[in-house]
Amino acid sequence: MNKFRTKLLIAVSIIAVLVVALEILFAQIFKTYELNQMYGQIWWIISISIWVSFIITIYLGIRIKSQYTKPIEKVTKVAIELAKGNYRARASIDRRDEAEMLATSINMLAENLQELVREQEMQQDRLTALIENIGAGLILIDSRGTINLVNKGFIDIFQVEPSDYLNKIYYQVIDYEEISYLVAEVFRTEQKVKKQLLLPLAIERRYFDVYGVPIIGTDNVWKGVLLVFHDITELKKLEQMRKDFVANVSHELKTPVTSIKGFTETLLDGAMNNKETLEAFLSIILKESDRLQSLIQDLLELSKIEQQGFQLNIQKLDLHDLLVEVIPLLDGKAMAKDIKLEFISLQEPVFIQGDFDRLKQVFINLIGNAITYTPEKGEVTVRLVDQSDHVMIHVKDSGVGIEKEEIPRIFERFYRVDRARSRNSGGTGLGLAIVKHLVEAHHGHINVKSSPGQGSEFIIELKKKWN
Ligand code: ADP
């Protein structure tokens, strides 16, 4: 627009110079030829007309500039802003002519562009959120084998830096041959490939369902391969647990059943004619059936507690009272081994919210175990400590103790440190699994302090109010 102004200035200057030159020329002609007064007047008229038309020309020039050039200047500025990506720029023109139409059109264009960009940003945000939080690892490889994208899931699983992968050829950076083969297979067959891979990650091995999907554009153009990693280690563990559980249950049931069957057959084969043998065998059969019964009871109990809709019968109860009721139930067992069973409580009553029968079951189990795993003449102490908003119950014994690495495992179903000892004492290996479930159903915690030969201490923390 500055060019226009310069051109206008030059034009005005040239016209002004021409006018002055014409005046001088006419003046000279009049002087030279000494023309009369009438010609002098004509000259004046011509001169004034020239100046008037000169002024009109300048006036029109300015009008044209303000009418057409300025709005175009404004609209051009907006167009430049739009080209730069500033879609919020708008042209404001307060005239009602073609310039206004131009401004309105450019504003509409800007609005549409802004809307398009907003939509595109929204889509982009959604896509990014989806890719990053999909809960699986993703890698996108283009048709030349270059990695274009790795998501957060992949980075978290494989503990890698995105810069180590992005814009690199996949087989040069992916450390696992199985994955590279899978990608190559997708490239070769142009078909979906699904494989279950066991991959070593740092100090552990994890199971993955890996999907390789070919990406083919609408016009049948190869765009690359998408790799999806689902970590199924927990599922595999659960599957293994289920298999172990079935194997364990079968094994636990098989032992007493085999024993009962064997002794019954021997009796039927003639041993029953001997009264002493008959009595001895029958008492073994009774013991084995007791074991079977308690195993089935514990299994039913565990399955009931683990059911989704399991409900506690919550009421206000005195924990001191509850323990006073439990101790005599185990006195006989303790006395048989000459074990000193002691209950210490400094406060009374100690009210909490809980299920009386279930908590009784917890302490019978824990105190029973303490007696079982303590040699003769040992000591078992139950201590109740009231701590304002929660209570602690310590069941401490002077027994065999547990190795540090065994402690987290003793709460697993059927896990026993010493199988023979547990079985001989009538244990099912399910007691602590039931205890843990019940304590957690009460929103409590269970902790164990133990070392071999030093005895064990099971500590239960229960909130006084939690529902
Ligand atoms: P079990 O019926 O075999 O006693 P539990 O689930 O009650 O099953 O206990 C699991 C295992 O934990 C036991 O077999 C035993 O090895 C160990 N254990 C439990 N309580 C004690 C304890 N007080 N002292 C030593 N070991 C214990």
Side-chain angles (χ1 to χ4, degrees), residues 15-55:
I15 293 170
V17 170
L18 276 174
V19 169
V20 173
L22 265 173
E23 269 191 38
I24 295 168
L25 186 72
F26 276 119
Q28 276 303 315
I29 292 169
F30 287 128
K31 228 182 184 177
T32 317
Y33 299 102
E34 289 176 350
L35 294 171
N36 61 23
Q37 212 179 351
M38 193 185 80
Y39 285 111
Q41 276 172 1
I42 291 169
W43 150 241
W44 272 114
I45 290 166
I46 291 170
S47 176
I48 286 166
S49 310
I50 289 170
W51 276 110
V52 167
S53 37
F54 175 60
I55 288 162

Short mmCIF file of all heavy atoms in Angstrom, two decimals, residues 15-55:
data_model
loop_
_atom_site.label_atom_id
_atom_site.label_comp_id
_atom_site.label_asym_id
_atom_site.label_seq_id
_atom_site.Cartn_x
_atom_site.Cartn_y
_atom_site.Cartn_z
N ILE A 15 1.49 16.39 -12.03
CA ILE A 15 0.38 17.26 -12.48
C ILE A 15 0.64 18.70 -12.05
O ILE A 15 0.50 19.65 -12.84
CB ILE A 15 -0.98 16.75 -11.91
CG1 ILE A 15 -1.32 15.40 -12.55
CG2 ILE A 15 -2.10 17.74 -12.18
CD1 ILE A 15 -2.50 14.68 -11.92
N ALA A 16 1.10 18.88 -10.77
CA ALA A 16 1.37 20.22 -10.27
C ALA A 16 2.43 20.90 -11.12
O ALA A 16 2.29 22.07 -11.54
CB ALA A 16 1.80 20.13 -8.81
N VAL A 17 3.50 20.15 -11.44
CA VAL A 17 4.60 20.72 -12.26
C VAL A 17 4.06 21.09 -13.64
O VAL A 17 4.34 22.18 -14.17
CB VAL A 17 5.77 19.70 -12.36
CG1 VAL A 17 6.78 20.16 -13.38
CG2 VAL A 17 6.43 19.53 -11.00
N LEU A 18 3.22 20.19 -14.21
CA LEU A 18 2.65 20.44 -15.55
C LEU A 18 1.80 21.70 -15.54
O LEU A 18 1.88 22.54 -16.43
CB LEU A 18 1.80 19.23 -15.98
CG LEU A 18 2.57 18.07 -16.63
CD1 LEU A 18 1.63 16.90 -16.88
CD2 LEU A 18 3.19 18.52 -17.94
N VAL A 19 0.96 21.81 -14.45
CA VAL A 19 0.08 22.99 -14.35
C VAL A 19 0.91 24.26 -14.29
O VAL A 19 0.67 25.23 -15.04
CB VAL A 19 -0.83 22.85 -13.10
CG1 VAL A 19 -1.55 24.15 -12.82
CG2 VAL A 19 -1.83 21.73 -13.29
N VAL A 20 1.93 24.23 -13.44
CA VAL A 20 2.78 25.43 -13.29
C VAL A 20 3.45 25.72 -14.64
O VAL A 20 3.49 26.87 -15.11
CB VAL A 20 3.82 25.20 -12.16
CG1 VAL A 20 4.82 26.36 -12.12
CG2 VAL A 20 3.10 25.09 -10.83
N ALA A 21 3.94 24.67 -15.31
CA ALA A 21 4.62 24.83 -16.59
C ALA A 21 3.68 25.42 -17.63
O ALA A 21 4.04 26.36 -18.37
CB ALA A 21 5.14 23.48 -17.06
N LEU A 22 2.44 24.93 -17.66
CA LEU A 22 1.44 25.43 -18.59
C LEU A 22 1.18 26.91 -18.35
O LEU A 22 1.14 27.71 -19.29
CB LEU A 22 0.13 24.65 -18.41
CG LEU A 22 -0.09 23.46 -19.37
CD1 LEU A 22 -1.32 22.68 -18.96
CD2 LEU A 22 -0.23 23.96 -20.80
N GLU A 23 1.05 27.27 -17.05
CA GLU A 23 0.79 28.68 -16.70
C GLU A 23 1.91 29.55 -17.20
O GLU A 23 1.69 30.59 -17.81
CB GLU A 23 0.67 28.80 -15.17
CG GLU A 23 -0.76 28.62 -14.74
CD GLU A 23 -0.96 28.99 -13.28
OE1 GLU A 23 -0.34 29.96 -12.81
OE2 GLU A 23 -1.76 28.30 -12.62
N ILE A 24 3.14 29.08 -16.94
CA ILE A 24 4.31 29.88 -17.38
C ILE A 24 4.29 29.99 -18.91
O ILE A 24 4.48 31.09 -19.48
CB ILE A 24 5.62 29.24 -16.90
CG1 ILE A 24 5.66 29.30 -15.37
CG2 ILE A 24 6.84 29.91 -17.47
CD1 ILE A 24 6.75 28.47 -14.72
N LEU A 25 3.95 28.89 -19.62
CA LEU A 25 3.93 28.89 -21.08
C LEU A 25 2.91 29.86 -21.61
O LEU A 25 3.22 30.71 -22.44
CB LEU A 25 3.62 27.45 -21.56
CG LEU A 25 3.71 27.24 -23.06
CD1 LEU A 25 5.18 27.27 -23.50
CD2 LEU A 25 3.09 25.91 -23.46
N PHE A 26 1.69 29.78 -21.04
CA PHE A 26 0.63 30.71 -21.45
C PHE A 26 1.03 32.14 -21.18
O PHE A 26 0.84 33.02 -22.03
CB PHE A 26 -0.68 30.37 -20.74
CG PHE A 26 -1.47 29.27 -21.42
CD1 PHE A 26 -1.76 28.09 -20.76
CD2 PHE A 26 -1.91 29.43 -22.74
CE1 PHE A 26 -2.47 27.08 -21.38
CE2 PHE A 26 -2.62 28.42 -23.35
CZ PHE A 26 -2.92 27.23 -22.69
N ALA A 27 1.57 32.40 -20.01
CA ALA A 27 1.99 33.77 -19.65
C ALA A 27 2.99 34.29 -20.67
O ALA A 27 2.92 35.44 -21.12
CB ALA A 27 2.58 33.76 -18.24
N GLN A 28 3.91 33.45 -21.07
CA GLN A 28 4.95 33.82 -22.05
C GLN A 28 4.31 34.14 -23.39
O GLN A 28 4.64 35.15 -24.04
CB GLN A 28 5.95 32.65 -22.21
CG GLN A 28 7.05 32.62 -21.15
CD GLN A 28 7.85 33.90 -21.10
OE1 GLN A 28 8.27 34.46 -22.12
NE2 GLN A 28 8.03 34.45 -19.91
N ILE A 29 3.34 33.23 -23.80
CA ILE A 29 2.66 33.44 -25.10
C ILE A 29 1.96 34.79 -25.09
O ILE A 29 2.11 35.60 -26.01
CB ILE A 29 1.68 32.28 -25.38
CG1 ILE A 29 2.45 30.98 -25.61
CG2 ILE A 29 0.79 32.59 -26.58
CD1 ILE A 29 1.59 29.74 -25.64
N PHE A 30 1.22 35.06 -23.96
CA PHE A 30 0.50 36.35 -23.89
C PHE A 30 1.43 37.52 -23.93
O PHE A 30 1.17 38.52 -24.58
CB PHE A 30 -0.34 36.40 -22.60
CG PHE A 30 -1.56 35.48 -22.66
CD1 PHE A 30 -1.83 34.55 -21.67
CD2 PHE A 30 -2.44 35.58 -23.75
CE1 PHE A 30 -2.92 33.73 -21.74
CE2 PHE A 30 -3.54 34.74 -23.81
CZ PHE A 30 -3.80 33.82 -22.83
N LYS A 31 2.52 37.36 -23.23
CA LYS A 31 3.52 38.46 -23.18
C LYS A 31 4.14 38.66 -24.54
O LYS A 31 4.23 39.76 -25.06
CB LYS A 31 4.61 38.08 -22.17
CG LYS A 31 4.92 39.20 -21.22
CD LYS A 31 6.03 38.66 -20.37
CE LYS A 31 6.48 39.50 -19.28
NZ LYS A 31 7.51 38.79 -18.53
N THR A 32 4.56 37.59 -25.18
CA THR A 32 5.28 37.65 -26.47
C THR A 32 4.41 38.28 -27.55
O THR A 32 4.83 39.15 -28.30
CB THR A 32 5.68 36.22 -26.89
OG1 THR A 32 6.17 35.51 -25.77
CG2 THR A 32 6.70 36.24 -27.99
N TYR A 33 3.18 37.78 -27.60
CA TYR A 33 2.31 38.28 -28.67
C TYR A 33 1.42 39.45 -28.24
O TYR A 33 0.56 39.90 -28.98
CB TYR A 33 1.44 37.14 -29.22
CG TYR A 33 2.30 36.02 -29.81
CD1 TYR A 33 2.55 34.85 -29.13
CD2 TYR A 33 2.90 36.21 -31.08
CE1 TYR A 33 3.35 33.86 -29.65
CE2 TYR A 33 3.70 35.21 -31.60
CZ TYR A 33 3.93 34.03 -30.90
OH TYR A 33 4.74 33.05 -31.42
N GLU A 34 1.63 39.97 -27.02
CA GLU A 34 0.91 41.11 -26.44
C GLU A 34 -0.57 41.02 -26.77
O GLU A 34 -1.17 41.90 -27.41
CB GLU A 34 1.50 42.41 -26.96
CG GLU A 34 2.87 42.66 -26.35
CD GLU A 34 3.54 43.91 -26.93
OE1 GLU A 34 3.03 44.46 -27.91
OE2 GLU A 34 4.55 44.32 -26.35
N LEU A 35 -1.17 39.87 -26.39
CA LEU A 35 -2.59 39.67 -26.68
C LEU A 35 -3.44 40.56 -25.78
O LEU A 35 -3.02 40.96 -24.69
CB LEU A 35 -2.95 38.18 -26.47
CG LEU A 35 -2.25 37.23 -27.47
CD1 LEU A 35 -2.47 35.79 -27.09
CD2 LEU A 35 -2.80 37.47 -28.88
N ASN A 36 -4.61 40.85 -26.23
CA ASN A 36 -5.42 41.83 -25.49
C ASN A 36 -6.00 41.25 -24.19
O ASN A 36 -5.78 40.08 -23.84
CB ASN A 36 -6.54 42.36 -26.39
CG ASN A 36 -7.44 41.22 -26.82
OD1 ASN A 36 -7.49 40.20 -26.15
ND2 ASN A 36 -8.11 41.41 -27.92
N GLN A 37 -6.72 42.14 -23.51
CA GLN A 37 -7.24 41.82 -22.17
C GLN A 37 -8.17 40.61 -22.19
O GLN A 37 -8.19 39.81 -21.27
CB GLN A 37 -8.02 43.02 -21.66
CG GLN A 37 -7.91 43.12 -20.18
CD GLN A 37 -8.66 44.32 -19.68
OE1 GLN A 37 -9.13 45.17 -20.44
NE2 GLN A 37 -8.79 44.41 -18.38
N MET A 38 -8.95 40.44 -23.31
CA MET A 38 -9.90 39.32 -23.38
C MET A 38 -9.15 37.97 -23.27
O MET A 38 -9.53 37.08 -22.54
CB MET A 38 -10.67 39.37 -24.69
CG MET A 38 -11.87 38.45 -24.65
SD MET A 38 -12.67 38.42 -26.24
CE MET A 38 -11.66 37.32 -27.12
N TYR A 39 -7.99 37.99 -24.00
CA TYR A 39 -7.21 36.74 -23.93
C TYR A 39 -6.68 36.51 -22.52
O TYR A 39 -6.58 35.41 -22.05
CB TYR A 39 -6.06 36.77 -24.96
CG TYR A 39 -6.58 36.54 -26.36
CD1 TYR A 39 -6.56 37.55 -27.33
CD2 TYR A 39 -7.08 35.27 -26.71
CE1 TYR A 39 -7.04 37.32 -28.61
CE2 TYR A 39 -7.55 35.08 -28.00
CZ TYR A 39 -7.52 36.07 -28.93
OH TYR A 39 -7.97 35.85 -30.19
N GLY A 40 -6.37 37.66 -21.83
CA GLY A 40 -5.91 37.58 -20.41
C GLY A 40 -6.96 36.92 -19.54
O GLY A 40 -6.66 36.05 -18.73
N GLN A 41 -8.23 37.32 -19.76
CA GLN A 41 -9.31 36.74 -18.93
C GLN A 41 -9.45 35.24 -19.21
O GLN A 41 -9.61 34.43 -18.31
CB GLN A 41 -10.63 37.45 -19.25
CG GLN A 41 -10.76 38.72 -18.44
CD GLN A 41 -11.96 39.54 -18.86
OE1 GLN A 41 -12.73 39.18 -19.76
NE2 GLN A 41 -12.12 40.69 -18.21
N ILE A 42 -9.34 34.93 -20.56
CA ILE A 42 -9.46 33.50 -20.93
C ILE A 42 -8.38 32.69 -20.19
O ILE A 42 -8.60 31.63 -19.62
CB ILE A 42 -9.34 33.30 -22.45
CG1 ILE A 42 -10.58 33.90 -23.13
CG2 ILE A 42 -9.22 31.81 -22.82
CD1 ILE A 42 -10.47 34.00 -24.62
N TRP A 43 -7.21 33.33 -20.21
CA TRP A 43 -6.09 32.64 -19.52
C TRP A 43 -6.44 32.36 -18.05
O TRP A 43 -6.23 31.27 -17.53
CB TRP A 43 -4.82 33.48 -19.68
CG TRP A 43 -3.87 33.33 -18.52
CD1 TRP A 43 -3.45 34.29 -17.70
CD2 TRP A 43 -3.28 32.11 -18.10
NE1 TRP A 43 -2.64 33.80 -16.77
CE2 TRP A 43 -2.51 32.40 -16.99
CE3 TRP A 43 -3.33 30.80 -18.56
CZ2 TRP A 43 -1.78 31.48 -16.31
CZ3 TRP A 43 -2.59 29.90 -17.84
CH2 TRP A 43 -1.83 30.22 -16.73
N TRP A 44 -6.99 33.39 -17.39
CA TRP A 44 -7.33 33.22 -15.96
C TRP A 44 -8.34 32.09 -15.77
O TRP A 44 -8.21 31.28 -14.86
CB TRP A 44 -7.90 34.54 -15.39
CG TRP A 44 -6.79 35.42 -14.87
CD1 TRP A 44 -6.37 36.61 -15.34
CD2 TRP A 44 -5.96 35.06 -13.78
NE1 TRP A 44 -5.31 37.09 -14.66
CE2 TRP A 44 -5.01 36.12 -13.65
CE3 TRP A 44 -5.85 33.97 -12.92
CZ2 TRP A 44 -4.03 36.14 -12.69
CZ3 TRP A 44 -4.86 34.00 -11.97
CH2 TRP A 44 -3.98 35.05 -11.84
N ILE A 45 -9.34 32.09 -16.70
CA ILE A 45 -10.38 31.03 -16.56
C ILE A 45 -9.73 29.65 -16.70
O ILE A 45 -9.96 28.76 -15.89
CB ILE A 45 -11.50 31.23 -17.61
CG1 ILE A 45 -12.31 32.48 -17.25
CG2 ILE A 45 -12.44 30.01 -17.68
CD1 ILE A 45 -13.21 33.00 -18.32
N ILE A 46 -8.84 29.55 -17.76
CA ILE A 46 -8.19 28.24 -17.99
C ILE A 46 -7.36 27.86 -16.75
O ILE A 46 -7.41 26.74 -16.23
CB ILE A 46 -7.30 28.29 -19.24
CG1 ILE A 46 -8.17 28.41 -20.49
CG2 ILE A 46 -6.41 27.03 -19.37
CD1 ILE A 46 -7.43 28.71 -21.76
N SER A 47 -6.61 28.85 -16.26
CA SER A 47 -5.73 28.59 -15.12
C SER A 47 -6.53 28.11 -13.90
O SER A 47 -6.17 27.10 -13.28
CB SER A 47 -4.98 29.89 -14.81
OG SER A 47 -4.21 29.71 -13.67
N ILE A 48 -7.63 28.86 -13.60
CA ILE A 48 -8.44 28.48 -12.42
C ILE A 48 -9.03 27.09 -12.62
O ILE A 48 -8.99 26.24 -11.72
CB ILE A 48 -9.55 29.54 -12.15
CG1 ILE A 48 -8.89 30.78 -11.54
CG2 ILE A 48 -10.62 29.00 -11.17
CD1 ILE A 48 -9.76 32.01 -11.53
N SER A 49 -9.54 26.81 -13.90
CA SER A 49 -10.13 25.49 -14.18
C SER A 49 -9.12 24.39 -13.93
O SER A 49 -9.43 23.34 -13.34
CB SER A 49 -10.60 25.40 -15.63
OG SER A 49 -11.37 26.49 -15.94
N ILE A 50 -7.86 24.67 -14.43
CA ILE A 50 -6.84 23.62 -14.24
C ILE A 50 -6.64 23.34 -12.75
O ILE A 50 -6.60 22.19 -12.31
CB ILE A 50 -5.51 24.05 -14.92
CG1 ILE A 50 -5.68 23.98 -16.45
CG2 ILE A 50 -4.34 23.13 -14.50
CD1 ILE A 50 -4.56 24.59 -17.23
N TRP A 51 -6.55 24.46 -11.96
CA TRP A 51 -6.31 24.25 -10.52
C TRP A 51 -7.49 23.53 -9.85
O TRP A 51 -7.29 22.64 -9.02
CB TRP A 51 -6.06 25.61 -9.81
CG TRP A 51 -4.60 26.02 -9.96
CD1 TRP A 51 -4.13 27.04 -10.71
CD2 TRP A 51 -3.51 25.35 -9.36
NE1 TRP A 51 -2.77 27.10 -10.66
CE2 TRP A 51 -2.35 26.02 -9.81
CE3 TRP A 51 -3.35 24.23 -8.54
CZ2 TRP A 51 -1.08 25.66 -9.44
CZ3 TRP A 51 -2.08 23.89 -8.17
CH2 TRP A 51 -0.96 24.58 -8.62
N VAL A 52 -8.74 23.94 -10.29
CA VAL A 52 -9.93 23.30 -9.68
C VAL A 52 -9.91 21.80 -9.99
O VAL A 52 -10.08 20.96 -9.10
CB VAL A 52 -11.23 23.99 -10.17
CG1 VAL A 52 -12.45 23.14 -9.81
CG2 VAL A 52 -11.36 25.38 -9.55
N SER A 53 -9.66 21.48 -11.33
CA SER A 53 -9.68 20.04 -11.66
C SER A 53 -8.53 19.30 -10.95
O SER A 53 -8.67 18.13 -10.55
CB SER A 53 -9.61 19.78 -13.16
OG SER A 53 -8.76 20.71 -13.75
N PHE A 54 -7.42 20.02 -10.74
CA PHE A 54 -6.30 19.42 -10.01
C PHE A 54 -6.73 19.05 -8.59
O PHE A 54 -6.53 17.92 -8.10
CB PHE A 54 -5.14 20.42 -10.02
CG PHE A 54 -3.97 19.96 -9.19
CD1 PHE A 54 -3.32 18.76 -9.51
CD2 PHE A 54 -3.52 20.70 -8.10
CE1 PHE A 54 -2.25 18.34 -8.75
CE2 PHE A 54 -2.45 20.26 -7.35
CZ PHE A 54 -1.82 19.09 -7.67
N ILE A 55 -7.43 20.03 -7.92
CA ILE A 55 -7.88 19.79 -6.53
C ILE A 55 -8.90 18.65 -6.50
O ILE A 55 -8.83 17.76 -5.66
CB ILE A 55 -8.45 21.10 -5.92
CG1 ILE A 55 -7.27 22.06 -5.65
CG2 ILE A 55 -9.19 20.84 -4.60
CD1 ILE A 55 -7.67 23.49 -5.46
#
